[in-house]
């Protein structure tokens, strides 16, 4: 029993340390004051690609924000797959109202992958007039300094700049649950990874230096993975460049949601992550509060942790997430503690669902990720694995020898 208790205590200590570390890193990055970024008069010309499909909550407002950018030289290309899509009249009306901004609507479907969003973007990428291209989902609200804010994170070592998906303006409990998934959980871990130098692409917003993708084979290179952002990460790292993630994200107004919609979206993302990065997906079940707090409850039942300790841990665990949202300017309400607990309860079956299937439906498109053979991650080749393993083996052996020498010296001094 003592061995079990010790093992559980070690697990709990590690979980708390990792959780606290991710919160501190995210707070440090996300609480920086967001100041408007002025556009430079010699700013490079940019093509803004906005794929659209169907009518979403607040879609007219989010698409209209494309025309309100304070940037001297940009064009907008709206991409729609089908000529009977109800979003087309909305786009056409916005273009007519804002004819002082260069914009086009392209309709058609170029099937280069199982990913309908990527297929929808192909025509826009090929028609883009400029060397810098921003791909941004139709449900993202763009601030006036959107483009120059993206550029402010670009440097010589960068191949792609992205932004985490952060939800806001929820109008019911299901939408608040989606905020809890997007904000305090997914955005927090994305920001943490970026701050630790392992940033990865997020498809909501992607600023491409056009030659980086063209050198990898063009937009068709993103068909090597079921998700275009996973493929983008591998393309950029293959080029020896970095993916940068802005800690100050752009709002996705959620409006009304239903629970099945939220669940199915999370299952889709889980299966995509599992397919593209299985070794990173495997430990995801440990990233929520359910397992650590269940272990804490078991320790309380075993008498190794007082009840007040369990209550304090739970309050600190979720209080830290709420503090992050407050400081970052993300959505917080009186229901936040409830939805954070509900989210963590759902993370375990969600993680299992990620392993147990390959199919899902995305905006009416049936997808089977088993049809795609993911490209190997460029940083995970055998030679590199052997090099890293050798370095760790040397480090472990050195530490062990030092411990043995210290132990022998202590025994000698006692005798």
């Amino acid at each position: 029993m003592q061995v079990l208790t010790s093992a559980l205590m070690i697990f709990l200590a590690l979980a708390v340390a990792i959780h606290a570390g991710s919160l501190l890193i995210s707070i440090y990055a996300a609480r920086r004051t967001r100041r408007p970024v002025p556009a430079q008069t010699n700013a490079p010309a940019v093509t803004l690609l906005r794929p659209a499909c169907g009518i979403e909550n607040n879609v007219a407002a989010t698409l209209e924000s494309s025309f309100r950018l304070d940037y001297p030289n940009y064009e907008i290309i709206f991409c729609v797959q089908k000529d009977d899509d109800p979003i087309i009249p909305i786009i056409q009306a916005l273009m007519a109202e804002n004819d002082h901004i260069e914009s086009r609507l392209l309709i058609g479907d170029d099937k280069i992958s199982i990913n309908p969003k990527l297929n929808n973007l192909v025509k826009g990428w090929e028609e883009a007039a400029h060397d810098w291209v921003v791909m941004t989902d139709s449900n993202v609200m763009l601030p006036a300094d959107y483009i120059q804010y993206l550029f402010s994170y670009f440097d010589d070592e960068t191949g792609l700049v992205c932004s985490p998906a952060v939800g806001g303006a929820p109008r019911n409990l299901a939408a608040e649950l989606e905020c809890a998934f997007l904000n305090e959980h997914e955005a927090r871990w994305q920001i943490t990874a970026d701050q630790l130098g392992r940033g990865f692409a997020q498809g909501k917003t992607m600023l491409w230096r056009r030659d980086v993708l063209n050198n990898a084979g063009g937009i068709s290179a993103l068909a090597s993975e079921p998700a275009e952002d996973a493929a983008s990460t591998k393309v950029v790292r293959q080029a020896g460049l970095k993916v940068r993630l802005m800690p100050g994200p752009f709002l996705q107004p959620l409006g009304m949601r239903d629970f099945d919609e939220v669940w199915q979206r999370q299952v889709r993302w889980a299966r995509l992550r599992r397919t593209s990065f299985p070794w990173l997906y495997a430990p995801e079940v440990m990233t929520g509060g359910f397992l650590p707090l269940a272990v804490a409850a078991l320790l309380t039942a075993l008498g190794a942790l007082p009840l007040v300790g369990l209550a304090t841990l739970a309050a600190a665990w979720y209080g830290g997430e709420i503090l992050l949202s407050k400081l970052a300017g993300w959505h917080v309400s009186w229901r936040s503690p409830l939805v954070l607990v509900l989210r963590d309860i759902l993370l375990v079956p969600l993680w299992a669902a990620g392993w147990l299937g390959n199919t899902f439906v995305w905006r009416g498109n049936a997808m089977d990720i088993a049809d795609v053979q993911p490209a190997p991650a460029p940083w995970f080749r055998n030679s590199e694995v052997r090099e890293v393993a050798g370095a760790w083996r040397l480090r472990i052996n050195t530490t062990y020898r030092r411990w043995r020498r210290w132990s022998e010296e202590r025994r000698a001094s006692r005798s």
Side-chain angles (χ1 to χ4, degrees):
M1 185 63 70
Q2 183 62 39
V3 173
L4 174 61
T5 301
S6 298
L8 292 175
M9 291 294 288
I10 291 172
F11 168 82
L12 183 59
L14 287 173
V16 170
I18 292 171
H19 182 71
S22 70
L23 286 173
L24 291 173
I25 290 172
S26 299
I27 288 172
Y28 170 77
R31 73 183 295 268
R32 297 173 184 169
T33 303
R34 167 75 162 93
R35 295 186 177 89
V37 179
Q40 303 297 320
T41 55
N42 60 345
V46 172
T47 296
L48 179 64
L49 297 186
R50 300 214 74 172
C53 179
I55 304 297
E56 302 177 86
N57 292 336
N58 305 295
V59 70
T62 56
L63 291 181
E64 184 182 20
S65 67
S66 310
F67 297 95
R68 303 289 179 260
L69 304 184
D70 180 21
Y71 196 79
N73 189 4
Y74 75 101
E75 65 169 354
I76 310 168
I77 300 180
F78 296 100
C79 300
V80 179
Q81 289 174 295
K82 300 176 182 178
D83 57 11
D84 60 348
D85 195 308
I87 195 62
I88 291 177
I90 294 176
I91 294 174
Q92 291 174 330
L94 289 172
M95 292 171 61
E97 293 170 8
N98 299 276
D99 56 3
H100 60 290
I101 302 291
E102 183 180 354
S103 62
R104 286 176 282 167
L105 170 62
L106 303 182
I107 302 173
D109 194 25
D110 300 282
K111 293 188 179 298
I112 64 170
S113 74
I114 68 167
N115 182 339
K117 174 183 167 184
L118 179 60
N119 296 339
N120 192 17
L121 281 168
V122 171
K123 55 187 175 291
W125 179 269
E126 293 177 347
E127 291 291 324
H130 305 306
D131 293 333
W132 293 89
V133 178
V134 182
M135 302 175 181
T136 183
D137 285 1
S138 59
N139 55 16
V140 177
M141 188 72 73
L142 311 185
D145 63 345
Y146 174 72
I147 295 177
Q148 56 265 38
Y149 187 36
L150 287 169
F151 271 118
S152 70
Y153 281 83
F154 228 104
D155 58 29
D156 292 339
E157 297 180 345
T158 303
L160 180 63
V161 172
C162 301
S163 171
V166 168
R171 294 180 55 196
N172 62 356
L173 185 60
E176 291 214 38
L177 176 61
E178 185 156 24
C179 276
F181 275 111
L182 291 173
N183 303 2
E184 293 92 349
H185 187 66
E186 292 164 11
R188 169 166 58 94
W189 286 109
Q190 290 166 5
I191 291 171
T192 299
D194 178 73
Q195 292 295 304
L196 295 176
R198 298 303 295 174
F200 51 90
Q202 164 56 251
K204 284 291 177 184
T205 282
M206 297 196 294
L207 169 62
W208 278 102
R209 208 179 74 198
R210 192 179 178 89
D211 64 294
V212 173
L213 188 51
N214 282 343
N215 289 342
I219 195 169
S220 60
L222 303 186
S224 63
E225 298 282 340
E228 79 284 349
D229 43 15
S232 298
T233 300
K234 296 182 179 182
V235 164
V236 172
R237 292 181 178 175
Q238 181 71 67
L241 298 170
K242 294 180 179 179
V243 176
R244 295 287 305 279
L245 189 80
M246 300 183 310
F250 308 113
L251 176 67
Q252 177 186 341
L254 298 179
M256 299 290 288
R257 290 287 193 266
D258 62 64
F259 286 101
D260 183 65
E261 179 185 9
V262 175
W263 173 258
Q264 293 301 330
R265 183 179 294 107
Q266 291 298 321
V267 169
R268 169 165 60 92
W269 289 346
R271 290 176 177 172
L272 290 171
R273 293 194 304 273
R274 183 263 300 172
T275 301
S276 298
F277 303 103
W279 56 92
L280 293 177
Y281 181 73
E284 275 194 21
V285 70
M286 316 298 293
T287 59
F290 179 80
L291 289 181
L293 292 175
V295 167
L298 179 56
L299 288 169
T300 299
L302 294 173
L305 184 69
L307 184 59
V308 67
L310 173 61
T312 301
L313 175 61
W317 189 282
Y318 293 112
E321 293 193 27
I322 292 172
L323 176 63
L324 166 63
S325 291
K326 279 282 190 182
L327 294 176
W330 303 343
H331 172 78
V332 175
S333 77
W334 65 268
R335 293 189 287 196
S336 293
L338 169 65
V339 294
L340 290 174
V341 172
L342 178 58
R343 177 208 66 196
D344 280 354
I345 292 172
L346 293 175
L347 278 176
V348 176
L350 175 65
W351 178 81
W355 289 109
L356 297 177
N358 293 315
T359 61
F360 50 81
V361 176
W362 185 73
R363 297 195 180 187
N365 297 276
M367 296 176 63
D368 187 343
I369 52 182
D371 295 339
V372 178
Q373 295 297 323
W379 64 92
F380 201 68
R381 291 188 287 266
N382 289 338
S383 61
E384 295 180 6
V385 171
R386 287 194 295 270
E387 181 180 346
V388 172
W392 274 103
R393 185 167 58 249
L394 177 62
R395 188 176 302 176
I396 292 169
N397 288 340
T398 302
T399 303
Y400 174 71
R401 285 195 298 269
R402 289 175 179 171
W403 176 79
R404 283 290 303 271
R405 185 165 56 249
W406 175 80
S407 298
E408 291 171 357
E409 291 173 352
R410 277 197 74 178
R411 282 198 300 268
S413 63
R414 286 176 180 174
S415 61

